[in-house]
Amino acid sequence: MPLSPRQAQCLRWAAIGKTSWETSRILGLSESTVNFHLRNACERLGVRGRRAAVAKALQEKLLDAFTASS
C-alpha cells in the first residue's frame, strides 16, 4: 500500500534527521500530528520506528533517494 502524501512528507524530513518537533514547525502541524503520520507510515510499511520506515520506504522506492543538493 502506498504512503499518503503527508506520510511521505513526514518521512522525508525524518530521513534528513529532523525531529517530530522540527518537522511540525516546517509543515505547520502539531508535533502529535507528525507523530500520527509517522506511526501510520510505520504500520503501512510493516516496521517499527522511523529509521526503519525511512529505510523501507527508500527500498520500496516510495521515497526519492536523497543527495546533498536535495
Side-chain angles (χ1 to χ4, degrees), residues 8-19 23 26-27 66:
Q9 197 173 36
C10 289
L11 277 179
R12 196 168 289 114
W13 286 110
I16 59 172
K18 297 296 182 189
T19 65
T23 301
I26 292 165
L27 299 178
F66 297 90

Side-chain angles (χ1 to χ4, degrees), residues 3-70:
L3 298 171
S4 74
R6 190 64 88 181
Q7 289 168 349
Q9 197 173 36
C10 289
L11 277 179
R12 196 168 289 114
W13 286 110
I16 59 172
K18 297 296 182 189
T19 65
S20 294
W21 182 86
E22 291 169 324
T23 301
S24 73
R25 297 300 167 247
I26 292 165
L27 299 178
L29 305 169
S30 72
E31 185 177 0
S32 63
T33 300
V34 171
N35 287 329
F36 169 80
H37 290 299
L38 289 171
R39 278 192 309 273
N40 286 339
C42 287
E43 189 174 316
R44 282 192 183 186
L45 295 168
V47 298
R48 290 187 60 191
R50 69 180 68 204
R51 289 181 184 171
V54 167
K56 180 80 172 197
L58 288 169
Q59 180 183 18
E60 299 290 326
K61 308 255 189 271
L62 298 173
L63 289 180
D64 295 330
F66 297 90
T67 63
S69 63
S70 291

